[in-house]
Amino acid sequence: MIAEAVKVVSPAPVPEGLLAAFDAYETALLTNDVATLDALFAPGPDTVRGDGTMLLVGHGAIAGFRSGRAVIPTRRVAELHVRPVADDAALVMASTQEPSTGATGLQTQLWQRLDGDWKITAAHVTLPRKDRPAGLVEKAAPLPAAAAPPLDRSVWRVVGTPLVAAAHSGPLDGVTVAVKDLFAVAGERLGAGNPTWLAGQTPRTTTAPAVSALLGAGAEVTGIARTDEFAYSLAGQNAHYGTTPNPAVPGGIGGGSTSGPASAVALGQVVVGLGTDTAGSIRVPASYQGLAGIRTTHGAISTDGVLPLAPSFDTVGWVARAVGPALRVAEVLLPDASATPAAAPPVRTVVLPTAEGHAIPDVAAACADRRAALVAEGLLPGAEVVDLAAETLEEWFAAFRTVQAFEAWAAHGEWITAHPGALGVDVGGRFAAAAAVTVAGADAARATVAEARARLREVLDGAVLVLPSSAGGAPARDASAAEVEAERAGTLRMTCLAGLAGAPAVSVPLLRTADGRPAGLCLVGGPGTDLDLLRLAATLEGTA
C-alpha cells in the first residue's frame, strides 16, 4: 500500500479503512482511473475541490474537470498526517514530491464515512514547486507564495485575480464573468479561437460595450475563455486548444461556440459566461451542460467590439448555472430593463412538430411530456400546433445557412485566404463552402430569410414557442465526425428559428435523454420579450 510506504503521523488511532481508501485514491490518481476517482469523491452538490486558482463545487463539476485533464500526476506521497475529527471523519494532509525534479506539493482532504464507505467531501491541492521544502516540517522557514497552477487551456486563454476589476459597485457586485474570446477587452488581444489569428493581434485599446456594462454594474472579469474557431461551430472541439470539459456529461463534448465560458460556469469557476449566439452557440452548450442560457433579441445589445460571424444573426448572450443569475445580467444589459414592466403573459404555447421532429425520439418525447405537464399545471398557456411544411423549414434553413456563410466569408475570407492551413478541418471546410456562395445566391437567400422572419414573428406574437434546445444530449468526445455532424444538423434546424425571427430564446435545463444526459427546453418569444421570457423560465425552472 502507498500509505504503508510513508510515514503516517496521527495523534489518535487512524479510523479503520481510511488508509485503504487513501491508498485506493492514490493508485487511481497515478493510473488515471477516472471511474475510481469519481467513486471516491462524495456524490452530490456539496463536495468541493480547490487548487489555488479555481474552486469546483459539486461532484459533477469535479468529475467534468477530471475528464478533461490531459496531464497525469507522477508525484509520490512523502509524508502523511491524519487528524481524526469524529468517529466517521478525518482530515488527511499529504506532502508530495515529484521524483524527477524534487518539486514538492501538498494535498489536504476531508474524508467522511458515508453509508459505510470512506469518501472525500472536500479537497485542496497545492501543486508541486521546486522551492518548497519536502515533508511537513513544523518549523520550516516561511514558504514563498505558491505559483499559480497551470490553466486548463481548453477552457481559458488568460485569467487574472481578477483579469479586470469591477469599475463600480452595483447590482452585479460579486458576480464573476468569463468572457468569450470574441469580445474586445482593453489591454488584451482578441484570439477568436485560432493561434495564427492571435499571433497577429495587438492589445485592444477599448472594451466592448457589453463587457463595460457588466463592469460598471459591479461584475468582475475573471478571464477570457475559449471559443470554437471564429465561432463557426457548435461542438466545443477546437483543433488547436482541445475539447472543453462537460461536467454534466463526463466524457462528453461541452458544446460551442461559447464553449469556454459555458464550461467555466459549469465547473463553478465563474457565475456568468458572456458569449454570442448566431445559430445556437449559447443554447447548445447550455443544453449539453444543464445550464440556463439566453440568446437576446437581435440588436437589443450592442455588438460593437465583438468579432462578427454573420451580423444578420449575431447576438450577445450568456449562460449561468440557473435562471436567476441570468435574469440579473439581463436587467443590466438590456435597454431600459429597470423601467420595463412585465408584459402580458403569452396566450398561446406554439408547437412546431416539423422542427421538433429533428430531435432524437426520447428528447422529442421528453419535450412533449414536459410541455403538456406545464400546460396542465397552468404554467404555460394552451398549446397551438402550427402546421409548417417540411419543405418550408428546409427552405428557411438553407437560406439561413447561405446568408450565414456569405457573411462569414465577407468577415474573414480575406484573412483565411492569406493564411492557408490555419484552420482546423471542420471549420476550414465550412469556410471553404462559404467561399463558394455567390452574391446572387446570398440575395435570393436574404429574400427567403425576410419571408421567414415575417412569418415567424406573426406566429410568435403573443405566444411562446417551446421546443428542445438541441437535437440530443452531448455526443461523446470520441464520437465519429459523422455522429457529431448528425447531431449538429438536427439541432440547427431548430435553433435557426430564433435567428431567422431575430427573436430571444432561453434554454432551461428541464429535459433528459434516455441515458440521463441533460438537454434544454427552449423558450422562444417575440422580439423584445427577453425579460418576460427569462421570468417565465425562472418559474418553469422551479418545476425541475
Side-chain angles (χ1 to χ4, degrees), residues 93-118:
M93 299 182 71
S95 175
T96 62
Q97 189 172 48
E98 291 283 355
S100 60
T101 65
T104 63
L106 177 68
Q107 67 176 19
T108 303
Q109 301 164 334
L110 178 62
W111 289 79
Q112 291 182 254
R113 187 155 35 202
L114 305 174
D115 297 326
D117 295 321
W118 286 100

Side-chain angles (χ1 to χ4, degrees), residues 165 430 443 456:
R430 287 184 201 115
D443 286 344
L456 285 168

Side-chain angles (χ1 to χ4, degrees), residues 12 15 19 46 134 137 147 153 178 251 261 266-267 281 288 305 319 353 377 384 400 444 459 463 478 486 504 515 518:
L19 292 184
D46 298 324
V137 183
R153 293 292 179 183
L267 288 166
S281 291
Y288 287 174
V319 292
E377 294 170 22
E384 175 187 326
F400 178 92
V459 168
D478 58 0
D515 58 4

Side-chain angles (χ1 to χ4, degrees), residues 312-342:
S312 289
F313 308 118
D314 293 345
T315 63
V316 172
W318 51 92
V319 292
R321 291 173 71 93
V323 177
L327 180 56
R328 289 175 63 195
V329 171
E331 290 169 346
V332 167
L333 290 184
L334 289 169
D336 301 320
S338 60
T340 302

Side-chain angles (χ1 to χ4, degrees), residues 34-60:
V34 173
T36 297
L37 292 170
D38 288 346
L40 286 169
F41 272 79
D46 298 324
T47 303
V48 292
R49 178 204 182 271
D51 62 12
T53 193
M54 69 177 75
L55 179 65
L56 305 177
V57 181
H59 186 278

